[in-house]
Amino acid sequence: QIIKLEDYLPADFVIHQVDMTFDLRDGHADVLTRLVMQRREGVAAEAPLELDGDELSLTSLALNGTPVSPQNYTVAPDSLKIDDLPAQDQFTLEIGTRLHPEQNTKLMGLYRSNGIWCTQCEAQGFRRITYFLDRPDVLATYKVRLEADKAAAPVLLANGNPVASGDLPNGRHFAEWIDPHLKPSYLFAIVGGRLDVLKDSLTTISGRHVELAIYTEPGLAERATYAMDALKRSMWWDERRFGREYDLDVFNIVAISDFNMGAMENKGLNVFNHKYVLLDSETATDADYAGVETVIAHEYFHNWTGNRITCRDWFQLCLKEGLTVYRDQEFSSDERSRPVKRISCVHTLKANQFPEDQGPLQHPVRPTTYREINNFYTATVYDKGSELVRMLATILGEDKFRAGMDLYFERHDGDAATIEDFIACFAQTANMDLSQFALWYNQAGTPRLTVSQSYDAKAGTLTLNLQQQLDKGAAGTGTLPMHIPVRFGLVGANGQDIAAEAASDDARVSGDTIHLTTASATIVFTGLNQRPLLSILRDFSAPVQLQYEESEADRLALARLDPDAYGRWRALTDLVGDSLADAARQWAKSGPQTVSDTVLGAIVEAADDTSLEPALRAQMCSLPGETEIARLVAEDVNPEIIHTLRLQTLARLGMLGGETFRSLRAELAEPAGEFSASAASAGRRALRNCLLAPLSAAAGRPDDAAKQYAQATNMSDRMAALTVLVHQFPQELVSQDALTDFYNRFESDPLVLDKWFALQAASPNADTLERVEALLHHEKFKLANPNRARAVIGGLAGANPSVFHRADGAGYRWVCGVLLQLDSLNPQTAARMATAFRSWRSMNPALRQQAEAALRQLAASENLSRDLRDIVERTLK
Ligand code: ARG
Ligand code: ZN
């Protein structure tokens, strides 16, 4: 049951046209699908048609209008095989299926969320609606007719443009939609229900009028205002930046409460987890705003990178996902602050993708095998996939990169394409051999980039040596040297880049980029009259692990002087991160340690540097999280020590920063009046709020946080305060009161309630497990709702290392127990949550033993889904 890339073959049959009728009723839905099909040229005349299904029940089957006789077909819930089909001629196949959307807790295929009918078909959900060639290289045009009770579903939506609607007898009505664009089945969608709508419109650059609509559950449409604004900005941006225009008369978005992922780019009908649509300042944090903007843009950008040009097979997932993430990151960089966005992406990549790439779940950006494709919607495919596109842009330069994109759009519009197709476009426009670069798609793992330098004052030269090394990891893929673009700067004592002549026998240096293509290269810079500071891997120009013996003095100087904002952040973050990791390692050997005042002083200085934008200062002065420190410690991790060390460091930082931090907080206090969600306002809130934790830790009192909580006028300030209260002062009455107040305020708001659940699950206290167990029995807890399940399980397993990795193994066992329950409802979400175990081998021996025992016990359960079993078995291997 292992699917392999090398086994790819096109389907034996083509589907020209798909016509579907949905009869939606309480309790069941009847679907009639009419396929206009043909045997593909060259396929043997006796080859049967084999259609995919998943938990389906067939109600009728006809060929060219005549029922197919039972000896000519074999049906099972997961397949329909038909013999004796025409050798050459086009034929129509009519397939009836009956579905039970209310019972569909997997949330794949057609299901009901709070009474709303909706679908999720990527990757293989369409086969839960009808028997089909459910693979991305089978492209067809679709016509859809929906019928439902007018009262239950006054709104009926499908892909494409609306063409007809009207009343039917018995209080029923219908709507018909035609999608004129070729699409694979995974982009199919319908929605029906009682929905409110926020409408707008836009005229594209060539003059097409597009009606825009965002549908929500009743009473919530106003909260889609920011999402609508983000949608329009995304549409304009794609025209300007990539010359891509929208191609239908309507663009619809629907916000749904029960959704496995973030959102889905169905053609003309994006379906979203409501978390990425609904916002206002009282209920959403600034991070939520940024998330909505990103996801709205991401799904919209898929219209070209994903929909117009789709993937030949699921191994090519990064073709659409990596590229679309790159596009949404570029959008946010243009709309907000480029360095701030870049830093946050690098931070996310290191937190999510690096552990994946360096652990048992490792796989190349383009995998070559899978057991369950849903388990490959990963940080590697998405985020490292985006880094590869970014490197391509760095290697080619902006103009050639854009020319390659233009060629890709022109050549492959309407295709189901591959990574090779994509790369060939850039090789052609840049007239470059990109075969070495292409290794990045096939070789898993994070290469180490080792840097050393020596300065010769007499000769006025700086000699730089760069080495790359890739170890074989769990994926077992190749380890050849790759093309690594290394951006750099030589920084002078005046804080400006020095232009120096570069010469090398084995690397090409072009502008600010060293193109490392060999295992090792030496570059000599000449004409220097001072020892420059080396600002290396600027902008994180390649997804590598930097190994650079850089002195504390150089890091301190770069943190202050680098004219490149990313470079300043990089130097300071590496300094702080390494200091904490060293202290944690040492602590495990010989007892309590501290981080030096010099290092903490640099943080205080960065916080107070008004030449930098506040959002960047907030990034520079936030201590790395416990999971991040654990990643840097790398082996024999003791989460308990890391937790204590971090808390003590926070207190010492607050002590040292005291006066400075307090006056900064006063200066940054929001002037009364209108709330602004702008990046600049959000940045000021971020800086002000990140100083609250160290100040409170230093004071050892919850007063400041309690005051901020009571006075908060927006969710960012409120959450920041509540987090300090609950995580740093769990025993104080004010903290418990604030939690209760928060609940009472937002009890009826599921998205805010998720924050309430998650915050408690992430609380690093001795009684957290007992509290979390109680949360599972809370009246508002619903395991079948993915957001709620993620809030509690993810809050503990993903955001609470000292409790998840409890020495007695109780955290591991608790998580495995809940995963087993969740798996019987929603395998996809259970499998996703189980990836929290991916770094178990880096824990200390006692914890490793506990984790392994818990995982083995889970693996021994008989009824594990394919999704969860795949993750658990790979994690243990
Ligand atoms: N294509 C969607 C997006 O990234 C994600 C859908 C993933 N769905 C799934 N069942 N794995 O925008
Ligand atoms: Zn996507």
Side-chain angles (χ1 to χ4, degrees):
Q1 239 181 345
I2 293 188
I3 318 285
K4 295 192 173 132
L5 170 60
E6 64 192 34
D7 293 341
Y8 174 82
L9 281 176
D12 284 351
F13 291 80
V14 291
I15 301 178
H16 298 298
Q17 172 66 27
V18 181
D19 288 273
M20 301 182 86
T21 302
F22 286 79
D23 188 54
L24 303 174
R25 310 212 170 234
D26 279 332
H28 68 267
D30 285 314
V31 185
L32 193 63
T33 306
R34 188 168 166 275
L35 306 174
V36 180
M37 303 189 65
Q38 199 163 13
R39 196 176 294 270
R40 205 166 43 80
E41 243 185 63
V43 172
E46 58 290 348
L49 170 64
E50 295 186 59
L51 299 176
D52 306 304
D54 182 8
E55 299 185 319
L56 282 180
S57 72
L58 184 73
T59 53
S60 67
L61 181 64
L63 173 65
N64 292 328
T66 312
V68 180
S69 89
Q71 65 260 35
N72 275 343
Y73 72 89
T74 323
V75 70
D78 62 354
S79 72
L80 172 60
K81 185 171 144 209
I82 308 171
D83 288 297
D84 261 352
L85 290 169
Q88 283 177 357
D89 294 350
Q90 210 166 280
F91 58 90
T92 68
L93 209 55
E94 261 176 337
I95 303 170
T97 46
R98 170 162 286 199
L99 315 177
H100 298 94
E102 286 86 350
Q103 291 163 34
N104 181 357
T105 59
K106 294 186 177 173
L107 313 184
M108 291 294 287
L110 179 67
Y111 63 96
R112 275 186 101 171
S113 168
N114 285 344
I116 301 163
W117 282 276
C118 66
T119 54
Q120 169 61 33
C121 291
E122 186 177 4
Q124 298 175 332
F126 193 71
R127 63 184 65 181
R128 295 169 60 77
I129 296 174
T130 190
Y131 292 101
F132 201 76
L133 293 173
D134 191 16
R135 38 187 290 168
D137 60 346
V138 171
L139 308 179
T141 48
Y142 286 65
K143 181 173 179 201
V144 174
R145 178 183 167 94
L146 303 168
E147 294 184 15
D149 282 348
K150 212 170 175 170
V155 177
L156 294 172
L157 307 170
N159 308 96
N161 294 318
V163 289
S165 61
D167 288 340
L168 296 168
N170 303 320
R172 295 185 61 83
H173 76 143
F174 76 96
E176 291 180 1
W177 293 75
I178 289 182
D179 182 358
H181 297 279
L182 287 174
K183 69 162 176 287
S185 51
Y186 81 84
L187 291 174
F188 173 87
I190 61 163
V191 170
R194 256 192 305 272
L195 298 166
D196 272 1
V197 63
L198 179 73
K199 291 196 169 188
D200 208 322
S201 70
L202 166 154
T203 303
T204 67
I205 196 158
S206 76
R208 177 193 286 269
H209 183 78
V210 185
E211 293 290 341
L212 311 173
I214 303 183
Y215 291 88
T216 70
E217 286 179 13
L220 299 174
E222 222 173 275
R223 281 204 213 173
T225 307
Y226 182 80
M228 180 64 86
D229 177 62
L231 173 62
K232 292 197 287 182
R233 286 185 284 120
S234 304
M235 294 176 81
W236 288 319
W237 183 88
D238 213 14
E239 291 183 347
R240 278 200 317 274
R241 178 74 187 268
F242 283 102
R244 296 299 108 198
E245 203 179 335
Y246 189 60
D247 53 8
L248 287 167
D249 303 331
V250 300
F251 188 81
N252 289 318
I253 290 175
V254 185
I256 294 290
S257 316
D258 300 275
F259 203 77
N260 278 341
M261 313 283 283
M264 181 61 212
E265 69 264 22
N266 319 296
K267 184 76 186 193
L269 177 55
N270 287 184
V271 176
F272 272 63
N273 185 327
H274 64 163
K275 173 178 165 57
Y276 292 109
V277 175
L278 303 178
L279 289 172
D280 57 39
S281 61
E282 271 172 43
T283 58
T285 63
D286 293 312
D288 293 328
Y289 275 86
V292 166
E293 184 178 71
T294 296
V295 180
I296 289 273
H298 180 95
E299 306 309 331
Y300 174 71
F301 296 153
H302 267 314
N303 191 54
W304 273 95
T305 48
N307 301 4
R308 296 281 295 238
I309 307 179
T310 193
C311 301
R312 188 192 71 173
D313 52 67
W314 290 118
F315 297 105
Q316 321 294 328
L317 185 58
C318 64
L319 176 70
K320 73 177 179 82
E321 295 304 348
L323 178 54
T324 304
V325 170
Y326 172 74
R327 277 151 52 70
D328 83 52
Q329 291 176 349
E330 282 299 291
F331 168 73
S332 298
S333 302
D334 286 348
E335 297 286 305
R336 293 172 175 245
S337 155
R338 185 161 283 272
V340 170
K341 177 65 184 178
R342 186 62 189 143
I343 288 166
S344 97
C345 290
V346 172
H347 194 263
T348 310
L349 187 84
K350 290 189 175 179
N352 298 335
Q353 201 275 329
F354 275 31
E356 187 170 273
D357 222 356
Q358 294 158 30
L361 298 179
Q362 183 194 64
H363 55 276
V365 173
R366 183 180 57 187
T368 53
T369 62
Y370 62 77
R371 273 199 292 177
E372 172 51 63
I373 187 57
N374 284 323
N375 288 339
F376 283 81
Y377 287 74
T378 59
T380 298
V381 168
Y382 276 66
D383 298 336
K384 187 173 177 185
S386 163
E387 293 302 317
L388 303 200
V389 178
R390 186 174 299 282
M391 276 195 286
L392 202 54
T394 304
I395 290 169
L396 265 56
E398 208 178 312
D399 293 349
K400 283 182 183 153
F401 176 73
R402 172 66 198 268
M405 286 297 295
D406 288 349
L407 179 60
Y408 176 64
F409 289 127
E410 187 193 308
R411 184 184 283 172
H412 292 293
D413 189 10
D415 285 354
T418 62
I419 286 299
E420 283 74 15
D421 293 332
F422 178 68
I423 292 175
C425 293
F426 297 95
Q428 179 172 327
T429 53
N431 191 20
M432 239 174 118
D433 179 357
L434 291 173
S435 49
Q436 189 187 17
F437 174 77
L439 291 172
W440 278 105
Y441 284 93
N442 302 322
Q443 299 192 148
T446 316
R448 261 170 300 146
L449 177 67
T450 309
V451 177
S452 60
Q453 58 152 323
S454 65
Y455 177 67
D456 183 335
K458 245 194 246 143
T461 60
L462 180 79
T463 304
L464 201 58
N465 181 260
L466 301 181
Q467 295 185 25
Q468 59 169 310
Q469 200 194 329
L470 182 58
D471 298 333
K472 215 185 253 313
T477 49
T479 58
L480 296 170
M482 301 194 279
H483 184 163
I484 302 183
V486 183
R487 295 190 47 203
F488 72 99
L490 302 181
V491 181
N494 61 356
Q496 278 173 16
D497 278 353
I498 302 168
E501 282 296 316
S504 175
D505 290 335
D506 29 33
R508 184 167 63 86
V509 184
S510 139
D512 70 348
T513 307
I514 301 166
H515 294 272
L516 179 66
T517 52
T518 48
S520 168
T522 301
I523 300 106
V524 181
F525 296 94
T526 50
L528 297 164
N529 53 22
Q530 56 171 305
R531 187 181 80 88
L533 294 162
L534 175 65
S535 173
I536 195 78
L537 203 63
R538 275 189 177 165
D539 209 36
F540 201 62
S541 58
V544 297
Q545 248 185 312
L546 183 60
Q547 302 219 310
Y548 176 29
E549 290 293 324
E550 194 179 25
S551 69
E552 180 170 305
D554 278 9
R555 281 179 168 173
L556 286 167
L558 279 169
R560 226 175 270 138
L561 282 180
D562 197 330
D564 181 70
Y566 175 86
R568 289 185 66 172
W569 173 81
R570 199 281 307 165
L572 184 59
T573 310
D574 282 353
L575 178 62
V576 174
D578 286 350
S579 308
L580 281 161
D582 287 345
R585 276 189 215 105
Q586 204 49 47
W587 188 319
K589 282 189 205 123
S590 46
Q593 305 287 319
T594 54
V595 169
S596 80
D597 278 357
T598 323
V599 172
L600 298 179
I603 300 179
V604 178
E605 202 182 312
D608 201 30
D609 185 339
T610 50
S611 73
L612 299 174
E613 57 185 313
L616 189 75
R617 288 150 68 192
Q619 288 172 319
M620 290 179 79
C621 71
S622 306
L623 287 188
E626 293 171 28
T627 310
E628 223 172 316
I629 300 169
R631 186 178 65 75
L632 297 170
V633 172
E635 44 193 41
D636 286 339
V637 172
N638 183 331
E640 193 74 56
I641 290 178
I642 293 178
H643 174 70
T644 314
L645 169 69
R646 186 180 184 279
L647 211 58
Q648 291 180 358
T649 310
L650 205 57
R652 292 193 41 241
L653 176 63
M655 217 84 89
L656 202 72
E659 241 353 274
T660 314
F661 287 180
R662 265 189 297 276
S663 62
L664 269 173
R665 275 180 53 81
E667 273 167 46
L668 290 161
E670 198 106 323
E674 282 284 279
F675 171 88
S676 163
S678 74
S681 301
R684 284 192 294 276
R685 283 188 289 271
L687 180 54
R688 182 166 189 272
N689 284 332
C690 84
L691 303 176
L692 184 60
L695 281 175
S696 304
R701 299 278 324 138
D703 307 41
D704 287 353
K707 187 168 155 218
Q708 174 165 325
Y709 180 87
Q711 294 176 348
T713 57
N714 61 72
M715 186 53 86
S716 291
D717 293 349
R718 191 180 296 286
M719 266 323 272
L722 190 63
T723 306
V724 169
L725 288 172
V726 175
H727 290 185
Q728 294 179 217
F729 304 98
Q731 312 306 342
E732 300 273 348
L733 203 57
V734 279
S735 304
Q736 294 313 313
D737 286 350
L739 258 183
T740 307
D741 173 82
F742 192 88
Y743 182 83
N744 291 337
R745 266 172 206 268
F746 300 111
E747 189 183 354
S748 60
D749 193 317
L751 288 172
V752 187
L753 219 46
D754 287 338
K755 297 183 193 301
W756 183 82
F757 277 99
L759 185 75
Q760 295 176 78
S763 181
N765 299 298
D767 65 347
T768 296
L769 268 193
E770 291 73 52
R771 282 171 164 260
V772 171
E773 185 55 32
L775 285 179
L776 292 188
H777 301 102
H778 191 278
E779 55 170 329
K780 299 277 185 180
F781 183 79
K782 208 176 135 214
L783 194 59
N785 174 256
N787 287 2
R788 194 59 45 90
R790 276 188 285 261
V792 175
I793 306 173
L796 191 118
N800 196 349
S802 64
V803 175
F804 179 49
H805 301 282
R806 246 169 68 158
D808 61 2
Y812 299 142
R813 287 191 296 275
W814 184 84
V815 169
C816 287
V818 190
L819 286 181
L820 196 58
Q821 285 177 53
L822 178 58
D823 192 46
S824 63
L825 294 168
N826 188 331
Q828 204 179 119
T829 301
R832 172 57 60 118
M833 297 281 90
T835 61
F837 280 97
R838 65 190 172 191
S839 300
W840 71 274
R841 276 182 210 279
S842 60
M843 295 296 136
N844 64 33
L847 288 174
R848 280 208 294 273
Q849 206 183 351
Q850 295 284 8
E852 184 168 5
L855 283 169
R856 294 224 178 268
Q857 203 195 332
L858 184 59
S861 324
E862 262 164 35
N863 296 323
L864 285 199
S865 67
R866 179 173 53 196
D867 306 56
L868 184 55
R869 181 166 297 286
D870 173 48
I871 295 290
V872 172
E873 287 181 358
R874 279 196 284 142
T875 304
L876 277 168
K877 222 162 95 191

